[in-house]
Amino acid sequence: MHRHPVLKNRRTLLERAEKFISDVYFTDCNLRGRLYGESHPLESISSFLCPKRIQFLEAVKQDFHPHSVGDTFGPTWWTCWFKVSLKIPELWRGKEIHLLWESDGEAMVWRDGQPVQGLTKEGEKTSYVLTERLQDEEPHSVTLYVELACNGLFGAGQGSMIAPPDPNRKYSVQKAELVVFNRDVRELLTDFEMLVDIVKQLGEGEQRGYQALFTANEMVNVCDSTDPSTYSKAHSLAHKFFSQRNGQSQHTVHAMGHCHIDTAWLWPYEETIRKCARSWVTVIRLMEKNPEFVFTCSQAQQFQWVKTWYPGLFSQIQNFVKKGRFIPVGGTWVEMDGNLPSGESMIRQFLEGQRFFKHEFGSYCKEFWLPDTFGYSAQLPQIMQGSGISHFLTQKLSWNLVNTFPHNTFFWEGLDGSQVLTHFPPGNSYEMGGKVEDLVKTVKNNKDKGRANHSAALFGFGDGGGGPTQLMLDRLQRVMDTDGLPKVKMSTPDALFSQLQAESALLCTWTGELFLELHNGTYTTQAQIKLGNRQCETLLHDIEVASILAQWRDQFFQYPSKQLQELWRLLLLNQFHDVIPGSCIEMVVEDALRYYQDIRSIGSRLLQGACEVLGLKEQKGNSTAVFNSLPWERVEVLQLPGDTAQPSLALVRVPSVGVAPVQESTQHVTPVSVTVQEEGTVLMDNGIVRVVVNKDGTLASLYLFDANREAISDGCNGNQFVMFDDVPLYWDAWDVMDYHLQTRKPVVKVVHPVQVVSSGGLRGSVTFTLRISEKSTITQEIVLDTMCPYIKFNTKVEWGESHKFLKVQFPVRVRSPNATYEIQFGHLQRPTHQNTSWDWARFEVWGHKWADLSEHGFGVSLLNDCKYGYSVHQNIMTLSLLRAPKAPDANADMGTHHFTYAIMPHAGSFQDASVIQSAYNLNFPLRLIPNASDTTPWSAFSVSSTAVILETIKQAEDRKNGLVIRLYESHGSSVTTSVSTPLLLREAWHCDLLERPDRARPVPISSAGMALSFSPFQVVSLLLCL
């Protein structure tokens, strides 16, 4: 047969193929219009509406009422259960039959009492396969239940995805019917789609793209959409193209199914439980049909939820885990924020996560999996290595606003020198679709060409769940080894990292933090969550220390291990990377604050019970004692309980990790003097520092006697509150942009000028009130205690702003190119200048309890009890206090806030001046013990070097007669120290962060204590056997 030569008009040929598979154009005669054959109505559909999320067995007992397709129901966050009765026509014998279900909510299909399929339009899952080939012996009449959540895959934002949820939205089922599914049409559509995408992605400069174009065009020529007998010839043309192989040097893409599910974000925690079930049961169905399919899944908390709510599904997951196809990854309780949790919290994420995975699935995770958090602490490599993990996968730094991160595969070196092999999938996504575009981007974007020839491609709908689809698997199957594209193999994280490790000789090393140049507002948003996190971390620390000491003092005391695990897991849950950053809806905030209150309430009782034991010698007394959970002696002014209007104060001296009675101090101390000067300013002096407070509460002077130095810059005032306009480009709760710095406005309106509250002695204090606006005020008490090296600012803010940012600034007489910030188990430096784009991208940074600006011999430190956002530019030290975003929580941060910060000038280095210890003291209050009878001070642990901090004392996991202590080097030095304790120790071992002892590294115990050596910022854990 004579054929005209193919025309050379690329556009017409390409568009011809596109229209042949379009779901918009020419569906009456193209291939897409033949995807479904005959349809048949359901026998009946009935429903009932429920405001709560209930389990299946309760749901089926309810009264169902007739329902018609198109009826509306709701509102948002309710659940509509449907009872679906269907009868498959006899004439459909031998055909593939689907229940076609299209709704604007997230649905779960239940059959025979078990969840069998998740359905959501947004996740491209709109049909449930009743049978792949209807047989006579199969049931033709079936009853299903469909559980439909009144929310979409991304919640229910009003107008945009991240807008606050619309509480009154109505939902509907638009389609519910039986259909014949033409599998051969689906296969041919996939062929066409992949060829068209190859044409588009390879472009006009690649011969292979034209081969794909001409193949697709010839397929249209031979395919008659109305004649299925022509499909095989078209499919053979596609198969011939896809079967043309690659060369041996081609890049290899390791494809892994994935379903990133935010543990809470634009939906509450409870909805996430159902998201997991909907997504994972769909994965199980895919595994049953696709023996090569591998799926990776993180977050022990989500597995725990599914185990509790869907035990049958969990058993199926366990079965596929044994087969090596459903692969738990990550090793943490949740995918936590990478900046804000304390070092100990990060360790507990791994401890709880790894122990769960080991217990439920028989093995520990080998890789840390954190694709979507807002930066990564420089101590994570050490924490990973200590938790049995040496590989790390993420991709979030591809979101950098300013600088492009220079690597995709590299060694990441942490603060202490620990290294982990790290991979950023070059496709810059954790929710690919198995498309040609994903594969081309993976090769094109790889910044380590020549160094690494293997990359990951994670495919599946994510964030709101959904996961992989059959179509994604079909796409990838076609191009496993196709000339012009990278090689594709269904793989595992272990296989990928093994290959990268084997070829790692040329890989580069990145040292220090992985700082995300975006989402800097999350260091400050939702201040009550930040406060709850810091206070609960402190409380759990103190409960563990006090309980260990109580167990030592009283053999009948029971260490509350079960309650502590429950409280820790609640705290770890709230450290998820959209909760502690504050980038979640109001319902999540309410849940988080309630969990913090549960921790405080239960934790306070546990602490009180332990402290009562610590204060007793034989029976209750009438004295008051004080418990110090920190590993150094503390001398502080305490307010004693009492009903008098004038608080009763005492100066107490409490030994390291110990208890002392409150008694009159015989030590000579310099009292605090408070003097009101003629112009209305107030001078406060404790012999260590002298401060002059202006009438508006700013500091005119801050003088350090020891250094004979003024700390406040000439012509400037410290403690200056400033407001900024805070309107980001899009991500409201997440982002503060650099241009906000151009809108600085000092808060100057005085409501109540400075007046004296406490006139001196053990404590001097003054108070004042400022008005920010008609909606907001600041009331502050400035406190100076005897023998205290810092000035405290106890602050109350009534906050009712919109898109504003409140900060406090201290211009200081210090010149340094770098400022120092506390992070987990150490500190790091960041520039105070803006020489390069990498420098000015850090206009807002994160830190924990303190930041310091020092020159040789002198410096100033800024301490706080619940804040994380900082900026030090040139000589201006700034602490970020409150934001006021309106999405996704319209009421974020509105209301009353209480917080404390402090300013501490010091001579010498911040290490020698005990800044680190002072910040701990500010955050870890001394605990009063009423009705104490033991009047002799005692100490349970002490450390000889001030550089080494004893961070944790807890009962060992699964060892009632063992305890774990954790120490770290805090100065950035190599040091040898000894740890002393009166506890009778049988033996001591070095152990890892999972508390597995290293039998090759016993710790000698002598009368002088346990001798330990540390390198800079090293974390050391010891297992002590009593």
Side-chain angles (χ1 to χ4, degrees):
M1 183 177 69
H2 176 70
R3 281 280 176 90
H4 287 289
V6 175
L7 299 175
K8 292 185 178 180
N9 189 326
R10 180 177 181 273
R11 175 185 169 185
T12 57
L13 297 189
L14 176 57
E15 196 163 327
R16 181 195 189 199
E18 288 179 314
K19 292 298 194 295
F20 192 64
I21 59 173
S22 171
D23 59 0
V24 177
Y25 301 102
F26 309 115
T27 54
D28 62 321
C29 60
N30 73 2
L31 188 64
R32 179 75 64 177
R34 303 296 186 272
L35 183 59
Y36 294 109
E38 298 173 79
S39 64
H40 189 77
L42 303 177
E43 288 280 288
S44 67
I45 180 169
S46 55
S47 68
F48 95 92
L49 196 60
C50 181
K52 296 181 179 180
R53 299 171 181 88
I54 60 175
Q55 295 198 340
F56 174 80
L57 291 177
E58 182 180 352
V60 296
K61 297 175 184 176
Q62 307 303 312
D63 293 327
F64 286 76
H65 301 283
H67 186 98
S68 299
V69 171
D71 290 352
T72 60
F73 50 88
T76 302
W77 308 126
W78 284 44
T79 300
C80 194
W81 284 83
F82 295 89
K83 184 177 182 181
V84 177
S85 298
L86 56 91
K87 186 173 183 180
I88 303 173
E90 294 288 339
L91 293 176
W92 288 5
R93 187 181 301 110
K95 297 182 179 180
E96 182 170 341
I97 315 300
H98 289 197
L99 167 65
L100 194 61
W101 181 280
E102 293 185 10
S103 65
D104 42 15
E106 291 190 87
M108 171 75 92
V109 180
W110 292 79
R111 186 171 184 174
D112 300 328
Q114 294 297 320
V116 291
Q117 176 72 53
L119 298 173
T120 168
K121 278 198 298 187
E122 295 161 293
E124 296 181 3
K125 298 180 183 71
T126 56
S127 66
Y128 168 59
V129 181
L130 290 162
T131 174
E132 292 183 345
R133 185 178 178 85
L134 183 64
Q135 307 290 334
D136 288 339
E137 63 270 18
E138 286 186 88
H140 286 45
S141 295
V142 178
T143 297
L144 303 173
Y145 288 87
V146 179
E147 176 189 11
L148 200 149
C150 293
N151 54 264
L153 204 59
F154 291 90
Q158 191 165 10
S160 77
M161 181 182 74
I162 65 166
D166 179 358
N168 301 309
R169 180 180 294 182
K170 294 294 184 179
Y171 297 78
S172 67
V173 177
Q174 297 93 39
K175 191 174 288 186
E177 60 186 4
L178 296 179
V179 294
V180 173
F181 182 77
N182 294 321
R183 176 66 60 183
D184 53 353
V185 174
R186 173 74 272 170
E187 295 293 330
L188 198 51
L189 284 170
T190 306
D191 289 338
F192 270 109
E193 175 198 328
M194 297 301 280
L195 286 166
V196 166
D197 283 355
I198 288 173
V199 176
K200 291 179 176 178
Q201 293 300 317
L202 296 189
E204 297 187 46
E206 292 287 337
Q207 174 177 299
R208 189 64 171 155
Y210 277 98
Q211 292 173 352
L213 176 65
F214 293 158
T215 299
N217 187 66
E218 186 64 15
M219 288 168 63
V220 179
N221 289 335
V222 302
C223 180
D224 179 352
S225 64
T226 64
D227 182 3
S229 68
T230 66
Y231 295 172
S232 61
K233 189 171 183 180
H235 181 67
S236 294
L237 289 170
H239 179 71
K240 180 180 178 182
F241 177 90
F242 294 132
S243 298
Q244 292 174 327
R245 302 303 183 202
N246 263 305
Q248 291 184 348
S249 66
Q250 185 59 273
H251 191 88
T252 300
V253 173
H254 294 246
M256 306 174 210
H258 188 52
C259 180
H260 179 69
I261 302 178
D262 286 318
T263 299
W265 181 30
L266 304 176
W267 52 87
Y269 284 125
E270 271 197 3
E271 190 56 44
T272 304
I273 301 173
R274 300 199 296 188
K275 283 179 176 287
C276 293
R278 288 189 289 259
S279 302
W280 297 354
V281 75
T282 305
V283 167
I284 297 297
R285 298 290 86 79
L286 289 173
M287 287 186 169
E288 291 168 347
K289 296 178 182 179
N290 301 271
E292 79 288 349
F293 174 43
V294 171
F295 180 74
T296 58
C297 191
S298 66
Q299 307 194 73
Q301 172 70 85
Q302 294 183 5
F303 283 97
Q304 177 66 61
W305 280 336
V306 168
K307 180 183 179 182
T308 301
W309 283 72
Y310 304 90
L313 172 58
F314 189 76
S315 294
Q316 294 176 62
I317 290 171
Q318 286 179 309
N319 181 44
F320 279 103
V321 170
K322 288 178 183 176
K323 295 177 180 179
R325 296 179 56 201
F326 198 115
I327 302 177
V329 294
T332 51
W333 189 247
V334 297
E335 287 188 11
M336 72 282 195
D337 180 81
N339 299 325
L340 307 185
S342 70
E344 188 61 31
S345 287
M346 285 188 168
I347 287 174
R348 300 305 175 94
Q349 288 282 355
F350 285 98
L351 180 66
E352 290 296 328
Q354 288 284 57
R355 284 173 57 81
F356 178 90
F357 290 128
K358 177 69 172 176
H359 181 265
E360 298 295 341
F361 304 120
S363 62
Y364 295 116
C365 298
K366 297 178 181 179
E367 59 288 305
F368 184 34
W369 194 275
L370 196 59
D372 190 32
T373 198
F374 311 146
Y376 305 88
S377 166
Q379 275 290 25
L380 274 169
Q382 181 176 194
I383 294 172
M384 282 185 242
Q385 288 284 11
S387 303
I389 288 173
S390 54
H391 303 142
F392 176 42
L393 183 144
T394 185
Q395 65 82 48
K396 196 65 176 184
L397 261 65
S398 66
W399 284 46
N400 270 8
L401 194 63
V402 181
N403 298 284
T404 300
F405 192 78
H407 302 295
N408 287 101
T409 304
F410 59 99
F411 287 103
W412 180 22
E413 184 174 277
L415 198 62
D416 74 314
S418 296
Q419 289 192 349
V420 290
L421 179 58
T422 300
H423 182 65
F424 296 176
N428 297 337
S429 174
Y430 49 77
E431 45 185 357
M432 292 180 168
K435 296 184 176 182
V436 172
E437 177 187 10
D438 299 331
L439 304 177
V440 172
K441 284 172 67 176
T442 294
V443 176
K444 184 179 179 181
N445 293 351
N446 180 22
K447 302 181 189 69
D448 296 283
K449 295 180 179 74
R451 288 190 288 261
N453 207 28
H454 295 259
S455 297
L458 310 180
F459 64 94
F461 288 97
D463 289 335
T469 65
Q470 183 63 54
L471 177 56
M472 294 175 187
L473 289 165
D474 292 343
R475 289 168 180 158
L476 291 169
Q477 187 276 329
R478 278 161 175 75
V479 292
M480 288 289 180
D481 192 1
T482 296
D483 185 26
L485 297 177
K487 292 181 180 179
V488 179
K489 59 186 293 187
M490 198 62 64
S491 188
T492 67
D494 192 40
L496 168 68
F497 280 108
S498 294
Q499 194 71 52
L500 292 173
Q501 187 73 52
E503 302 174 6
S504 63
L506 298 178
L507 293 182
C508 299
T509 299
W510 180 273
T511 299
E513 66 180 327
L514 296 174
F515 185 88
L516 178 65
E517 296 173 358
L518 198 70
H519 294 356
N520 319 57
T522 59
Y523 315 149
T524 305
T525 303
Q526 298 288 8
Q528 298 288 10
I529 287 180
K530 269 74 169 175
L531 174 69
N533 179 73
R534 185 80 65 83
Q535 289 184 342
C536 290
E537 285 177 336
T538 300
L539 178 59
L540 293 180
H541 168 277
D542 285 5
I543 296 168
E544 289 180 338
V545 176
S547 297
I548 286 292
L549 303 193
Q551 197 174 34
W552 169 54
R553 301 272 290 185
D554 182 351
Q555 61 178 328
F556 298 109
F557 180 86
Q558 292 292 314
Y559 186 91
S561 53
K562 185 174 185 298
Q563 299 99 311
L564 276 167
Q565 183 186 59
E566 291 170 355
L567 298 184
W568 265 112
R569 286 184 170 183
L570 273 185
L571 179 63
L572 300 179
L573 174 60
N574 275 353
Q575 289 173 349
F576 178 74
H577 65 251
D578 276 309
V579 179
I580 189 174
S583 50
C584 50
I585 61 172
E586 189 170 12
M587 290 177 73
V588 178
V589 176
E590 292 169 351
D591 284 344
L593 296 181
R594 187 172 69 253
Y595 292 161
Y596 288 133
Q597 190 51 45
D598 290 346
I599 296 170
R600 289 186 183 106
S601 176
I602 298 169
S604 295
R605 291 197 297 271
L606 294 177
L607 180 61
Q608 181 182 352
C611 283
E612 285 178 357
V613 174
L614 303 186
L616 295 181
K617 199 160 192 177
E618 294 176 356
Q619 57 187 8
K620 285 188 176 182
N622 54 10
S623 300
T624 299
V626 183
F627 167 54
N628 170 25
S629 67
L630 297 179
W632 47 78
E633 183 183 75
R634 296 169 66 177
V635 181
E636 293 180 23
V637 174
L638 270 187
Q639 183 172 321
L640 302 178
D643 299 327
T644 59
Q646 188 67 26
S648 176
L649 303 175
L651 180 66
V652 297
R653 179 182 296 274
V654 194
S656 164
V657 192
V659 173
V662 175
Q663 56 191 17
E664 290 293 326
S665 175
T666 58
Q667 180 180 351
H668 173 73
V669 297
T670 302
V672 179
S673 64
V674 179
T675 308
V676 179
Q677 303 187 106
E678 289 185 6
E679 66 276 20
T681 61
V682 178
L683 185 149
M684 295 194 291
D685 182 340
N686 70 352
I688 301 172
V689 295
R690 182 182 66 215
V691 60
V692 178
V693 184
N694 292 320
K695 288 189 287 186
D696 62 357
T698 58
L699 304 189
S701 172
L702 176 58
Y703 182 82
L704 179 64
F705 287 99
D706 187 35
N708 192 26
R709 287 280 298 264
E710 171 62 47
I712 303 296
S713 293
D714 285 338
C716 299
N717 291 319
N719 199 39
Q720 177 67 66
F721 291 102
V722 287
M723 289 281 282
F724 298 86
D725 295 339
D726 187 15
V727 184
L729 298 176
Y730 175 71
W731 297 100
D732 201 355
W734 293 258
D735 286 348
V736 56
M737 311 310 297
D738 53 356
Y739 52 74
H740 88 285
L741 296 170
Q742 297 178 304
T743 65
R744 180 183 184 274
K745 297 180 184 68
V747 178
V748 296
K749 188 169 183 180
V750 178
V751 178
H752 299 296
V754 160
Q755 59 186 42
V756 175
V757 175
S758 179
S759 56
L762 293 179
R763 171 171 293 169
S765 65
V766 298
T767 187
F768 63 94
T769 300
L770 304 177
R771 181 170 300 284
I772 298 171
S773 70
E774 293 304 313
K775 300 177 180 178
S776 305
T777 59
I778 302 169
T779 299
Q780 192 172 70
E781 183 184 23
I782 301 177
V783 179
L784 181 62
D785 285 346
T786 188
M787 297 189 70
C788 185
Y790 53 80
I791 298 96
K792 284 192 297 187
F793 301 85
N794 298 330
T795 312
K796 174 185 176 183
V797 180
E798 298 290 348
W799 186 245
E801 300 299 311
S802 177
H803 289 115
K804 299 292 182 183
F805 201 153
L806 176 66
K807 306 183 185 184
V808 65
Q809 295 185 332
F810 291 87
V812 297
R813 290 192 192 183
V814 177
R815 180 173 175 81
S816 175
N818 296 295
T820 306
Y821 302 84
E822 187 196 35
I823 68 165
Q824 298 83 357
F825 299 124
H827 56 264
L828 50 73
Q829 291 190 330
R830 301 185 182 108
T832 59
H833 55 74
Q834 298 177 349
N835 284 356
T836 71
S837 59
W838 296 87
D839 299 332
W840 64 257
R842 287 165 165 76
F843 60 87
E844 178 84 4
V845 300
W846 65 273
H848 283 199
K849 300 184 290 293
W850 58 269
D852 180 79
L853 184 64
S854 288
E855 59 191 38
H856 180 68
F858 181 76
V860 178
S861 293
L862 188 53
L863 324 178
N864 76 83
D865 73 345
C866 62
K867 301 300 176 186
Y868 295 91
Y870 294 90
S871 169
V872 182
H873 180 56
Q874 294 181 347
N875 69 318
I876 299 176
M877 305 183 73
T878 304
L879 183 66
S880 297
L881 302 177
L882 293 170
R883 295 187 70 222
K886 298 303 172 188
D889 177 3
N891 298 305
D893 283 313
M894 297 299 98
T896 304
H897 297 268
H898 295 272
F899 51 85
T900 295
Y901 56 89
I903 194 79
M904 179 177 170
H906 60 83
S909 69
F910 67 84
Q911 293 98 327
D912 293 340
S914 298
V915 166
I916 300 169
Q917 286 80 358
S918 293
Y920 269 91
N921 293 348
L922 183 68
N923 280 267
F924 289 77
L926 293 170
R927 309 283 186 177
L928 288 171
I929 306 174
N931 305 315
S933 59
D934 192 349
T935 58
T936 305
W938 55 268
S939 168
F941 285 91
S942 62
V943 183
S944 63
S945 171
T946 57
V948 174
I949 291 178
L950 174 57
E951 177 75 10
T952 301
I953 305 171
K954 65 180 288 290
Q955 188 177 76
E957 302 293 323
D958 305 326
R959 296 171 184 261
K960 288 190 175 181
N961 292 322
L963 61 143
V964 168
I965 65 172
R966 190 159 11 259
L967 310 96
Y968 74 97
E969 197 288 317
S970 67
H971 287 181
S973 61
S974 296
V975 66
T976 299
T977 190
S978 65
V979 179
S980 301
T981 176
L983 278 67
L984 296 177
L985 303 180
R986 184 165 44 86
E987 56 186 16
W989 304 88
H990 284 273
C991 65
D992 66 5
L993 300 182
L994 303 184
E995 303 185 7
R996 298 175 297 186
D998 183 348
R999 296 300 180 184
R1001 299 185 65 200
V1003 180
I1005 304 170
S1006 70
S1007 57
M1010 294 172 284
L1012 300 172
S1013 295
F1014 289 79
S1015 56
F1017 304 118
Q1018 183 183 4
V1019 178
V1020 171
S1021 299
L1022 303 181
L1023 175 64
L1024 308 182
C1025 302
L1026 301 174

